[in-house]
Amino acid sequence: MKKYEKVRREDYEAWYRENRGYRERVRADENRLAYHLMPETGWLNDPNGLCQFQGLYHIYYQYTPFEPTGEIKLWGHYTTRDFIHYKQEEPALFPDQDMDAHGVYSGSAYVEGNTIHYFYTGNVKLFDRDDYDYIMSGRVSNTIHFTSQDGYHFSAKELVLNHKDYPADMSCHIRDPKVFKKGEFYYMVLGARDARSRGTVLVYRSMDLIKWEYFNRITGKEPFGYMWECPDLFCLDDQLCLICCPQGVKAMGTEYQNVHQCTVFCLDYDFGENTFRLKSELPAMVDRGFDFYAPQTFQDEKGRHILIGWMGIPDADYTNPTVQAGWQHALTMPRQLHMREGRLLQQPLEEMEEIRRDRRDYDFAKLEKGVETGLVFEACISLQACRDMRLTLRDDVTLSYENGLLTLDMGTCGSGRTRRSVSLEQLTGLRVFSDTTSLEIFVNDGREVFTTRVYGTHPGMRIEGNCSGSGTVYELNGFIYE
Ligand code: FRU
């Protein structure tokens, strides 16, 4: 498959028939994940089009089956009814039209009645001149709509917005539509870089999901990075929030340490007057780890706000040894969101309790002696009067709390990942999800989360420190694929 050539469904099917050996190679990799969605072969990035439709959850994602560095973007597709049993479906979307020839980029789903409406970005790079900088010139970002009555069969793609519809002071970087409804109107947010290289979110409004008019742009008073990717505007526990991924932000102490950020603003928006107010000038970080980006939320039929993120990040200087086995990246566990006192809370979806087995309970003295586990386990630890502590997880990965700072140190297992910290007034609880090559650590009931890939092979866990507490450890089963 060539990078700047269209890929049709037939091209993919022919390639799939010829690449059984590639699939077997990835299937045999000892680093593959047990309970995280990963690509069958090749590369995965952002979750797309998340929705629950007639009971079934659809999880689409940015997908390059052909190789592990992510050159040509399709939409892959998983389905599940319970977040434990999954089916890998045929890819849903291909870059097969002039308007999306160089990648069917990220987008979302909006369910109304018996129809799923999808919106995504058709990426087109121009090659007719040699003086394009691909920021202010040489790139076309088309906002495209299509529908489905079942999540598998799709209507023709239809262009709803392109550069003549975007404000004149924008660069060519506009993408990742997400739609929500408020009152009688639909609103679409799009991530953008303006002509002065300031990150911003464009807001469009529609009565019918087809004709969209420019409504407003959301950004801070001061510039915060040059591009805001993957915006998601939604109301959570009566608080409007904007999650987006700013690029080009400088680190400030423990904050914004990754190459690109994933952040959340709380805001007030008067849609009648079309005025908004960000509740803070600087946004909070959604996750503190090395591998978290481009999450998407949706509300399921139970009314839960569920977030799934990309357990990876673009342009990082650390690596994933899985590339040698022909694959890279995964999605995070699904997390249920809440807003408490202006803070985002993330907790693993309760369905994740279904993969638990072999429960063992420990008091602190036993935790200090060390606990035997496999690599695939969950540990729930509650701590009282914790002045300082040090949790060692496989090999020499440590999470330590000292002088009000909680620090994840990847030791020799990070493949280039080093240290990340957060200030915490107190440490009361940790919920650690360890998979073969990933960690998701939920701190203080999900007030902070560290998501990271990890490449150590010596299982086991130990806590020491000035505190008391107790812990429960479960071995975990893997997801089941139909
Ligand atoms: C975020 C992102 C999106 C884009 C997609 C392309 O990771 O850069 O902005 O739509 O990935 O794969």
Side-chain angles (χ1 to χ4, degrees), residues 4 98 102 123-134 137-140 172:
Y4 295 117
D98 288 345
H102 304 141
N123 178 54
V124 180
K125 263 183 125 172
L126 305 178
F127 298 102
D128 57 325
R129 289 168 56 148
D130 53 17
D131 59 348
Y132 289 138
D133 67 358
Y134 297 105
S137 61
R139 181 191 285 271
V140 181
C172 302

Side-chain angles (χ1 to χ4, degrees), residues 47 51 112 146 239 265 277 299 334 346 352 374 382 385 395 401 408 410 445 452 470 476:
C51 61
E112 187 156 81
F146 61 98
Q239 174 60 60
F265 285 105
R277 186 181 69 88
Q299 218 175 346
Q346 302 177 64
M352 295 302 298
S382 62
D395 301 71
Y401 184 59
L408 175 68
M410 301 297 290
D445 282 325
T452 190
S470 58
L476 297 179

Side-chain angles (χ1 to χ4, degrees), residues 45-46 62 73 105-106 175-176 229-230 293-294 310 314:
N45 59 303
D46 317 355
Q62 291 284 287
K73 300 297 169 62
Y105 274 14
S106 281
R175 55 179 171 266
D176 311 332
E229 294 191 317
C230 299
Y293 198 70
W310 170 24

Side-chain angles (χ1 to χ4, degrees), residues 384-404:
Q384 281 98 43
C386 185
R387 292 234 315 278
D388 55 75
M389 74 98 217
R390 185 181 163 93
L391 169 70
T392 307
L393 295 162
R394 74 173 76 179
D395 301 71
D396 55 355
V397 177
T398 57
L399 185 74
S400 42
Y401 184 59
E402 213 178 357
N403 300 325

Side-chain angles (χ1 to χ4, degrees), residues 43 45-46 48 62-64 70 72-74 103-107 121 123 174-177 191 227-231 245 247 260 293-294 310 312-314:
W43 160 285
N45 59 303
D46 317 355
N48 291 155
Q62 291 284 287
Y63 184 30
T64 305
I72 307 172
K73 300 297 169 62
L74 280 53
V104 289
Y105 274 14
S106 281
T121 301
N123 178 54
I174 295 178
R175 55 179 171 266
D176 311 332
M227 167 75 194
W228 288 7
E229 294 191 317
C230 299
C245 294
Q247 301 193 315
H260 303 309
Y293 198 70
W310 170 24
I313 197 162

Side-chain angles (χ1 to χ4, degrees), residues 165-185:
D165 308 300
Y166 305 138
D169 63 334
M170 289 296 133
S171 74
C172 302
H173 285 263
I174 295 178
R175 55 179 171 266
D176 311 332
K178 177 100 200 295
V179 167
F180 76 103
K181 193 172 187 189
K182 176 91 185 157
E184 52 178 336
F185 289 103

Side-chain angles (χ1 to χ4, degrees), residues 33 36 311 394 433-440 452-454:
L33 293 153
H36 288 86
M311 193 154 64
R394 74 173 76 179
F433 279 83
S434 170
D435 199 339
T436 41
T437 52
S438 74
L439 290 171
E440 281 161 285
T452 190
R453 300 304 297 280
V454 61

